């Protein structure tokens, strides 16, 4: 029983290990927590373990990790004696009710860490910084510091004895967590931001970088036309898993047209009849992919349930004719005649194939690309969850075509240039391991959310 209690206490203490975010100012308007200082070194070592004996990678990683400049080994996360930034580093600030800043550094030895920070400040060309028995002296300003567990905590006011605890707004494990609000957000966004958050999260198979911004009512109103609305999602019936990438735009067509009318878009551009056709037919979703290279683009438009997809094709033809070209629609083909003024009125004809499948109007250059979809011969592709929903626009790539990278000896000479060539080679190898890269942009009633994610083999 005693050993079970001991194990329980050990697990509890590990789960509540002190973190840099625990030292956040309770009323912070700006918070930056970075726990990823050792991530680059870990990634480099993992690459070396997998590919270090290959011709392309032999000796590169040890040389990169050993690279030193000004007594600092940046790629090994070694910024000087006493510092342990792998434990975390953070900065917090507020202007109300009084201006206050707090800095937190992971350390193994507080006094050595102070000396290293002074040296770093000098190398970066900042204002002169000097270590004192109680902290730092920056010009005429004294900054108290104190060793607190595995951290050196510096504050423009007195350093508390105990950490106040991580606020709910900060992540417990994100490699990078940035939160701005109040005057800090207003200053960064020049009045267009109320809050801004940035999170970099590591996952077993890759990671994601998420940004969320909210703004005042005037900014949110400008985004109203781009909100998802209630129109269903469409346009994904013909997606093929063999496509190297997919680009998606997802709006709400009826809402977009209503907002455009409210903004006074000229009738000559959007006639009432055209608006009715578009609003009752198109969902607002557009999907683009390449069926067999850049010469085989495929475009798909989402159709509302029961809508006549050919009505949109006829609308395209009318728009082309209004622009001075000719257009005919027949037998699944949209033929566009573009007059050539240098050839006595002779026209060049461009033919686009189209077809309707489910809630998708698909248009392509090659008839086979449309036929494949109509016959159900594609390899169905399901969009990743972050990109599948209504109002979620962005892309996903699964084929990258990276080559073997810079040849050995491409860069040589001084140490600083040698490391550039080494990093290029390592970056190419890392990029070749990417199995998926995606990005999504999604407006919300009070702002926008953007997310970049990646998966690695």
């Amino acid at each position: 029983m005693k050993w079970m209690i001991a194990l329980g206490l050990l697990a509890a203490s590990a789960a509540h290990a002190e973190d840099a975010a625990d030292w956040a100012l309770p009323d912070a308007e700006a918070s930056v927590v970075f726990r990823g200082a050792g991530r680059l070194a870990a990634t480099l070592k993992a690459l070396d373990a997998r590919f270090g004996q290959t011709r392309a990678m032999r000796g590169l990683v040890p040389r990169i990790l050993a690279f030193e400049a000004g007594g600092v080994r940046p790629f090994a996360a070694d910024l000087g004696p006493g510092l342990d930034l792998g434990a975390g580093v953070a900065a917090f600030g507020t202007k109300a009710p009084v201006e206050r800043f707090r800095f937190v550094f992971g350390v193994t030895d507080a006094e050595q860490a102070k000396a290293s920070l002074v040296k770093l400040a000098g190398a970066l060309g900042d204002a002169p910084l000097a270590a004192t028995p109680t902290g730092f002296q920056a010009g005429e300003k004294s900054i108290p510091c104190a060793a607190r567990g595995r951290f050196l905590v510096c504050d423009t006011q007195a350093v508390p004895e105990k950490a106040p605890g991580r606020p709910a707004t900060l992540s417990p494990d994100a490699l990078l967590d940035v939160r701005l609000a109040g005057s800090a957000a207003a200053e960064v966004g020049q009045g267009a931001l109320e809050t801004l958050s940035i999170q970099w999260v590591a996952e077993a198979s890759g990671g994601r970088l998420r940004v969320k911004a909210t703004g005042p009512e005037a900014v949110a109103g400008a985004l109203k036309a781009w909100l998802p609305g209630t129109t269903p999602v469409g346009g994904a019936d013909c997606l093929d898993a063999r496509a190297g990438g997919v680009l998606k735009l997802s709006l709400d067509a009826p809402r977009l047209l209503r907002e455009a009318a409210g903004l006074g878009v000229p009738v000559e551009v959007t006639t009432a009849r055209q608006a009715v056709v578009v609003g009752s037919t198109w969902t607002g979703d557009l999907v683009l992919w390449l069926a067999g290279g850049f010469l085989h683009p495929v475009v798909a438009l989402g159709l509302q349930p029961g809508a006549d997809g050919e009505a949109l094709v006829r609308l395209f033809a009318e728009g082309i004719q209004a622009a001075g070209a000719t257009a005919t629609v027949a037998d699944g083909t949209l033929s566009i005649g573009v007059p050539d003024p240098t050839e006595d009125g002779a026209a060049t004809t461009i033919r686009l194939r189209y077809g309707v499948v489910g809630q998708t109007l698909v248009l392509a250059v090659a008839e086979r690309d449309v036929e494949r979809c109509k016959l159900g011969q594609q390899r169905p592709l399901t969009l990743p969850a972050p990109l599948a929903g209504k109002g979620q626009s962005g892309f996903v790539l699964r084929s990258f075509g990276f080559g073997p990278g810079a040849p050995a000896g491409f860069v040589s000479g001084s140490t600083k240039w040698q490391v550039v060539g080494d990093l290029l080679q390592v970056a190419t190898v890392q990029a070749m391991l990417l199995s998926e890269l995606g990005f999504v942009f999604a407006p919300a009633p009070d702002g926008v959310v953007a997310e970049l994610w990646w998966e690695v083999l």
Side-chain angles (χ1 to χ4, degrees):
M1 181 62 71
K2 290 182 178 179
W3 66 268
M4 292 180 66
I5 294 174
L7 284 177
L9 291 173
L10 182 62
S13 64
H16 294 87
E18 190 175 301
D19 181 73
D22 292 336
W23 288 96
L25 291 173
D27 53 356
E29 293 179 308
S31 301
V32 179
V33 180
F34 182 56
R35 304 179 181 94
R39 186 70 177 182
L40 176 58
T43 299
L44 288 170
K45 290 175 182 177
L47 280 176
D48 192 48
R50 293 178 69 178
F51 306 110
Q53 298 307 309
T54 65
R55 180 181 178 185
M57 287 283 292
R58 188 175 296 119
L60 263 65
V61 169
R63 195 159 60 221
I64 291 172
L65 293 175
F67 173 77
E68 182 179 322
V72 169
R73 293 188 300 148
F75 304 110
D78 178 6
L79 301 188
L83 286 171
D84 179 19
L85 300 191
V89 58
F92 309 99
T94 184
K95 288 190 174 181
V98 294
E99 188 174 75
R100 184 179 183 182
F101 299 96
R102 179 179 293 170
F103 304 94
V104 183
F105 306 94
V107 299
T108 55
D109 183 289
E111 292 305 314
Q112 287 185 345
K114 285 161 62 177
S116 294
L117 289 171
V118 168
K119 186 175 180 180
L120 278 173
L124 294 173
D126 288 347
L129 187 70
T132 69
T134 58
F136 292 105
Q137 189 71 32
E140 297 181 357
K141 196 165 188 176
S142 179
I143 305 173
C145 296
R148 295 288 186 262
R150 59 176 183 164
F151 294 105
L152 175 69
V153 182
C154 301
D155 200 316
T156 51
Q157 297 182 22
V159 178
E161 290 294 327
K162 293 184 178 180
R166 176 181 57 85
T169 53
L170 291 176
S171 165
D173 54 9
L175 296 179
L176 173 67
D177 201 348
V178 179
R179 306 281 171 160
L180 302 181
S183 61
E187 184 175 342
V188 169
Q190 298 184 338
L193 287 178
E194 287 185 342
T195 66
L196 174 67
S197 68
I198 304 172
Q199 273 193 344
W200 169 26
V201 178
E203 297 178 345
S205 60
R208 59 187 60 242
L209 181 67
R210 181 181 176 87
V211 180
K212 182 176 182 180
T214 65
E217 186 176 347
V219 175
L223 295 169
K224 189 176 179 181
W226 307 95
L227 295 178
T230 57
T231 306
V233 181
D237 295 288
C238 294
L239 284 175
D240 197 309
R242 289 167 290 189
V246 176
L247 177 67
K248 178 192 172 196
L249 175 67
S250 183
L251 310 169
D252 183 84
R255 181 198 291 272
L256 187 63
L257 291 169
R258 288 194 303 269
E259 294 297 324
L263 293 174
V265 175
V267 173
E268 290 77 12
V269 176
T270 305
T271 68
R273 188 185 66 78
Q274 288 172 331
V276 168
V277 172
V278 172
S280 62
T281 306
W282 184 38
T283 62
D285 300 301
L286 183 148
V287 185
L288 168 69
W289 69 95
L290 303 175
F294 287 102
L295 297 181
H296 283 259
V298 180
V299 178
L301 299 173
L303 299 177
Q304 298 193 37
D308 177 9
E310 290 214 9
L312 281 180
V313 182
R314 292 192 293 270
L315 196 62
F316 297 156
E318 290 179 12
I320 292 167
Q321 290 170 341
T326 62
T328 58
V329 179
D331 300 326
T333 302
L334 170 62
S335 300
I336 305 168
V338 182
D340 185 347
T342 65
E343 295 291 338
D344 298 325
T348 298
T349 301
I350 299 172
R351 294 177 179 84
L352 298 178
R353 312 295 182 173
Y354 70 88
V356 175
V357 177
Q359 286 185 252
T360 298
L361 167 65
V362 58
L363 298 100
V365 173
E367 183 177 6
R368 175 61 182 145
D369 294 334
V370 175
E371 183 184 55
R372 185 184 303 110
C373 177
K374 294 177 70 174
L375 296 176
Q377 295 175 340
Q378 79 275 17
R379 296 179 185 174
L381 168 66
T382 301
L383 287 174
L387 196 56
K390 191 66 182 179
Q392 296 172 329
S393 301
F395 66 82
V396 59
L397 301 176
R398 291 193 171 110
S399 178
F400 303 95
F402 291 106
F410 173 67
V411 177
S412 61
S414 65
T415 304
K416 67 178 180 180
W417 288 113
Q418 178 67 59
V419 78
V420 172
D422 292 346
L423 288 170
L424 284 173
Q425 179 68 14
V426 168
T428 302
V429 173
Q430 179 69 16
M432 292 173 69
L433 295 176
L434 279 174
S435 61
E436 180 173 296
L437 176 68
F439 172 78
V440 63
F441 176 85
D446 60 345
V448 296
V449 175
E451 184 171 284
L452 179 74
W453 75 90
W454 57 95
E455 293 186 2
V456 181
L457 296 171

